[in-house]
Amino acid sequence: MKKISVALALCCFAIISSSFYIQGFDVKASIKRGKAIYETQCIACHMAQGEGLPGAFPPLAKSDYLGDKNRLIKIVLQGVTGPMKVNGIEYNVAMAPVNLTDAQTADVLNYVLNSWGNKGVLIKPGDVQPALKAKVKNYQPNN
């Protein structure tokens, strides 16, 4: 019985640990790096807790706008312009493109997608270039 309990505990630990390290990608480290990028590149407009500034800058916290990873990558690297509705509120302020590497883009988005009540998908650096080529509905770049 004791052997079964130990084996079960080790199995549970392996499953939990693997959720932060997926096929050669350390999600926990990516989120940590992403937080540092967010604090230097994004915090002025989207605020410390991702709450944004009502009427000016949309929230990232508990945001219903974060569901399309291709659009998110385009917004970060190409900026965005034109109207958008986030959590039922209309915004129409341009965001300038941010000059980041593919790895930095993945890191900052992993931080945003896993903070402030968001439950997002994992973004790896290899996802960035294909996303930039993808067609995205309701997106206007600001470049």
Side-chain angles (χ1 to χ4, degrees):
M1 183 69 167
K2 197 172 191 179
K3 288 181 183 180
I4 293 172
S5 296
V6 170
L8 186 58
L10 287 173
C11 185
C12 289
F13 176 75
I15 291 169
I16 292 167
S17 297
S18 69
S19 68
F20 290 107
Y21 191 82
I22 301 170
Q23 295 179 2
F25 188 76
D26 188 342
V27 178
K28 202 171 183 181
S30 175
I31 292 169
K32 184 177 180 181
R33 291 187 304 266
K35 181 178 182 186
I37 295 165
Y38 182 87
E39 289 173 346
T40 61
Q41 299 289 328
C42 314
I43 202 168
C45 296
H46 294 290
M47 304 296 155
Q49 297 302 310
E51 67 270 24
L53 196 58
F57 305 110
L60 299 175
K62 297 179 185 168
S63 175
D64 63 3
Y65 200 76
L66 303 178
D68 183 338
K69 79 176 180 179
N70 291 338
R71 179 175 60 193
L72 295 176
I73 290 167
K74 286 176 175 276
I75 288 171
V76 170
L77 294 177
Q78 297 175 342
V80 67
T81 189
M84 68 176 67
K85 192 176 268 192
V86 180
N87 296 344
I89 299 172
E90 188 84 24
Y91 293 87
N92 197 0
V93 175
M95 177 180 145
V98 183
N99 187 18
L100 298 174
T101 66
D102 291 358
Q104 290 170 323
T105 302
D107 290 345
V108 74
L109 287 173
N110 284 327
Y111 172 68
V112 168
L113 291 168
N114 289 281
S115 298
W116 318 302
N118 296 325
K119 302 281 187 247
V121 298
L122 170 68
I123 296 177
K124 294 181 181 179
D127 296 333
V128 173
Q129 291 305 309
L132 291 174
K133 296 173 185 160
K135 294 213 184 255
V136 175
K137 187 178 177 182
N138 299 326
Y139 169 73
Q140 263 184 279
N142 183 25
N143 60 1

